[in-house]
Amino acid sequence: MSQRPFKVLGVQQIAIGGPSKDRLRTLWVDMFGLDITGNFQSERENVDEDICAMGKGPFKVEVDLMQPMDPEKKPAVHTTPLNHVGLWIDDLPKAVEWLTAQGVRFAPGGIRKGAAGFDICFLHPKANDQFPIAGEGVLIEMVQAPQEVIDAFAKLAA
């Protein structure tokens, strides 16, 4: 196996799905005190989400509260309560290239802009014969870290 040409810097987000954002907001916003910092809707991704946040600056972590726009359609963002985990990556294109060469399976869609405006892609939760490495039941979002996050994590490592 060749040298890994990228670093996972930290957790960027967790995404929680349910049939109704109202119940999710009761816990995460009303009880835990997270701030709603934005909203995102996508018919293609069948999602209506509130973007919440905890922490500050480069150590801010998103908590996305998601419900389906249509509960009968796929993807079904509400059927897995912990829908996905997002990881800050220092060099997303290199990470995708290297991981693909190692046999990691990615979900369709490639690298694209995500709800928060960062470039993203997803590791598929299930492996197959062509790509024997996957998230083992967990959808993993890889997120291109902005320079301020890369710098902050570099200071921690020093």
Side-chain angles (χ1 to χ4, degrees):
M1 187 180 313
S2 62
Q3 178 89 17
R4 186 180 313 104
F6 67 94
K7 291 180 184 158
V8 175
L9 301 174
V11 174
Q12 184 268 338
Q13 70 170 273
I14 58 170
I16 301 165
S20 167
K21 292 187 304 181
D22 293 337
R23 292 183 58 84
L24 294 170
R25 275 194 305 262
T26 297
L27 175 64
W28 290 93
V29 176
D30 299 343
M31 299 295 111
F32 289 161
L34 274 65
D35 295 320
I36 296 177
T37 59
N39 304 94
F40 177 74
Q41 290 187 334
S42 169
E43 287 190 32
R44 189 181 127 237
E45 295 177 19
N46 191 31
V47 68
D48 175 7
E49 73 184 64
D50 289 342
I51 301 169
C52 301
M54 64 177 137
K56 300 226 180 287
F59 303 107
K60 179 176 81 173
V61 175
E62 275 184 32
V63 178
D64 296 344
L65 308 177
M66 305 185 312
Q67 71 182 30
M69 295 180 85
D70 181 342
E72 303 303 315
K73 289 186 177 177
K74 301 276 185 195
V77 299
H78 61 302
T79 60
T80 304
L82 177 56
N83 184 274
H84 65 271
V85 174
L87 303 174
W88 285 125
I89 305 295
D90 68 342
D91 191 329
L92 185 59
K94 279 186 184 173
V96 170
E97 178 183 0
W98 187 82
L99 290 168
T100 300
Q102 306 308 311
V104 173
R105 183 178 183 195
F106 285 87
I111 296 175
R112 60 194 179 276
K113 285 278 181 233
F118 302 109
D119 283 350
I120 63 161
C121 68
F122 289 93
L123 267 72
H124 201 286
K126 295 179 184 174
N128 62 19
D129 290 340
Q130 182 180 3
F131 295 100
I133 302 168
E136 295 303 315
V138 177
L139 183 64
I140 300 168
E141 182 175 7
M142 298 176 64
V143 184
Q144 174 60 58
Q147 193 61 49
E148 74 169 300
V149 171
I150 294 170
D151 294 345
F153 279 96
K155 285 182 187 176
L156 282 178

